[in-house]
Amino acid sequence: MALFGFGKKKKPGDEQSSAIKILGSGCAACNALEANTVKALTLLGQETAVEHVTDFSKIAAYGVMTTPALVVDGKVLVSGRIAEVDQIVALLKEARNPS
């Protein structure tokens, strides 16, 4: 049994909810990263559903130690800072359309 979700391996079928997540306690920085992410998704014409994960055991399962963090399709793209809209646009393009 994995304590607090540590050591659990994520399987492709484990992602039941949104493919885009903001990890954090719900503080001002987390909310700012979420707002910037929604703006970036809107600019790209993509689905704007973003899940806000506040459960620390779930956050730790991603290996994130500093929040806020942005997770796209199971990969942590930003951690410990508020990314600007243009940075998120570039990250989303790269994550979803790798060359």
Side-chain angles (χ1 to χ4, degrees), residues 2 4 8-9 16 22 30-31 33 41 54 58 61 65 68 70 72 74 77 81 93 95-96:
F4 301 113
K8 280 188 176 178
K9 297 286 184 186
Q16 297 291 331
I22 301 298
C30 299
N31 293 334
L33 180 59
L41 288 166
T54 58
K58 290 180 182 178
M65 297 314 239
L70 171 63
V72 176
L77 300 184
R81 66 183 178 89
K93 284 181 179 178
R96 295 209 160 160

Side-chain angles (χ1 to χ4, degrees), residues 2-99:
L3 184 62
F4 301 113
F6 291 109
K8 280 188 176 178
K9 297 286 184 186
K10 292 200 179 288
K11 298 175 191 160
D14 286 351
E15 295 294 321
Q16 297 291 331
S17 53
S18 176
I20 299 179
K21 298 176 180 14
I22 301 298
L23 310 180
S25 64
C27 64
C30 299
N31 293 334
L33 180 59
E34 183 173 1
N36 288 352
T37 302
V38 169
K39 288 177 188 172
L41 288 166
T42 301
L43 287 172
L44 292 170
Q46 295 184 10
E47 171 83 29
T48 59
V50 177
E51 180 183 355
H52 200 122
V53 178
T54 58
D55 182 327
F56 287 108
S57 64
K58 290 180 182 178
I59 292 170
Y62 284 97
V64 170
M65 297 314 239
T66 55
T67 61
L70 171 63
V71 176
V72 176
D73 301 330
K75 295 180 184 177
V76 178
L77 300 184
V78 175
S79 178
R81 66 183 178 89
I82 303 168
E84 297 297 324
V85 175
D86 58 335
Q87 294 170 329
I88 297 171
V89 166
L91 290 169
L92 288 170
K93 284 181 179 178
E94 179 63 28
R96 295 209 160 160
N97 300 314
S99 33

